[in-house]
Amino acid sequence: MLPKLSDIPLVERNRLFSYLRTAITHHSNRIEGTTLDYGETEQLLERGITAPNKPLSEQLIIKGFADCYDEVVRSGFAKRAIDANFVKELHALMFDYALKVCPEKIERPVGAYRTVEKRIKNTDVKLVLPHLIKSSLENLLYQKEPETVFEMARFHIEFEKIHPFSDGNGRVGRLLMAMQFIKNDLVPPLIEYEFRKEYLDSMFDADRLSEFLEFSQQESYKILNAEF
């Protein structure tokens, strides 16, 4: 049985979340195809050193994602409710730096729902049509907030089926899931790039995804054990 967040001493918990800031930021973006390795991500976030010969747009999105991570940690501990405005603001925050510096690299709109149909590669899953996104997302968020790993897995699947944005849906979805884990006194799962296939294969099966998330929680706790 894994310990609850509240059972971890404050100093250790702070160090854990500092480590996860880099780890979750790196792996969540790597899953989506960014090219920075872990060391380059760490240098960027902790020292402000950009990686040579890597796209500036990627690095600015990574910085934006780290800001989003900080927000979901704060909001998670404050037990803030997740509503549609928060979801859109999180999306806007993620792409804010890149949109200002290299707008030609960013798929629009940002901080607003997509207006075109989308599909997820290599799946037969039908995504919500653009004119139904607002009502579908609000209906999902109106339901009782998930409390168990299975319920959080099911929420994540439904969010990805809605696919509210032109880009960044997976990253926003994983951030929301991290926030839900924190709100339920659980260390958020570290979904590593090395297990990308296992994650994607379980994406539309709540039982399989919940098992994978429990495994990914263990990956976070490995860090805890190694660091402290």
Side-chain angles (χ1 to χ4, degrees):
M1 189 73 168
L2 297 176
K4 300 287 190 180
L5 274 176
S6 56
D7 293 331
I8 302 172
L10 181 59
V11 171
E12 295 183 359
R13 192 166 69 222
N14 183 63
R15 292 174 63 192
L16 172 66
F17 274 96
S18 294
Y19 185 95
L20 287 177
R21 183 178 193 265
T22 299
I24 289 177
T25 298
H26 168 70
H27 288 288
S28 193
N29 282 277
R30 189 73 184 91
I31 284 170
E32 302 301 330
T34 57
T35 57
L36 276 72
D37 62 30
Y38 189 92
E40 290 169 335
T41 301
E42 187 175 39
Q43 286 274 84
L44 177 65
L45 298 182
E46 297 185 7
R47 299 176 180 83
I49 300 173
T50 56
N53 304 316
K54 294 292 175 71
L56 178 61
S57 59
E58 288 187 9
Q59 303 191 59
L60 293 173
I61 291 170
I62 285 171
K63 281 177 59 64
F65 184 100
D67 286 352
C68 291
Y69 169 88
D70 294 339
E71 180 56 43
V72 301
V73 171
R74 284 192 298 268
S75 295
F77 278 111
K79 297 192 182 298
R80 174 178 176 171
I82 297 174
D83 58 24
N85 284 335
F86 179 79
V87 175
K88 289 187 286 186
E89 288 174 355
L90 203 63
H91 186 260
L93 181 61
M94 184 184 303
F95 291 101
D96 184 52
Y97 296 124
L99 188 63
K100 289 175 180 175
V101 176
C102 42
E104 72 283 356
K105 298 290 187 180
I106 304 304
E107 195 168 351
R108 316 288 181 85
V110 170
Y113 303 137
R114 62 181 164 87
T115 57
V116 298
E117 293 187 29
K118 287 277 187 176
R119 63 181 298 273
I120 300 177
K121 294 178 182 178
N122 304 317
T123 74
D124 296 323
V125 175
K126 292 185 178 180
L127 302 179
V128 168
L129 295 173
H131 70 282
L132 296 175
I133 289 173
K134 182 178 185 294
S135 60
S136 297
L137 183 59
E138 288 176 354
N139 286 340
L140 176 63
L141 297 173
Y142 181 76
Q143 298 171 25
K144 179 176 175 288
E145 287 205 31
E147 297 178 349
T148 67
V149 175
F150 177 80
E151 290 172 353
M152 287 182 266
R154 189 168 56 192
F155 178 98
H156 187 55
I157 290 170
E158 291 307 311
F159 181 84
E160 296 307 328
K161 286 181 180 177
I162 295 169
H163 226 67
F165 304 114
S166 294
D167 189 24
N169 293 285
R171 282 170 281 200
V172 170
R174 289 186 290 275
L175 283 165
L176 293 176
M177 187 162 52
M179 181 172 165
Q180 290 169 338
F181 271 77
I182 294 168
K183 289 177 72 172
N184 286 286
D185 204 21
L186 302 171
V187 169
L190 175 58
I191 301 174
E192 296 175 299
Y193 173 70
E194 290 75 11
F195 300 107
R196 179 178 184 272
K197 183 178 186 303
E198 290 81 355
Y199 166 60
L200 296 179
D201 285 348
S202 67
M203 177 56 69
F204 298 107
D205 182 325
D207 288 314
R208 289 182 64 189
L209 182 57
S210 61
E211 289 179 6
F212 177 79
L213 293 176
E214 288 172 351
F215 163 79
S216 298
Q217 275 191 288
Q218 294 282 356
E219 296 303 295
S220 292
Y221 280 106
K222 283 181 184 177
I223 294 168
L224 185 69
N225 294 332
E227 288 292 304
F228 315 125

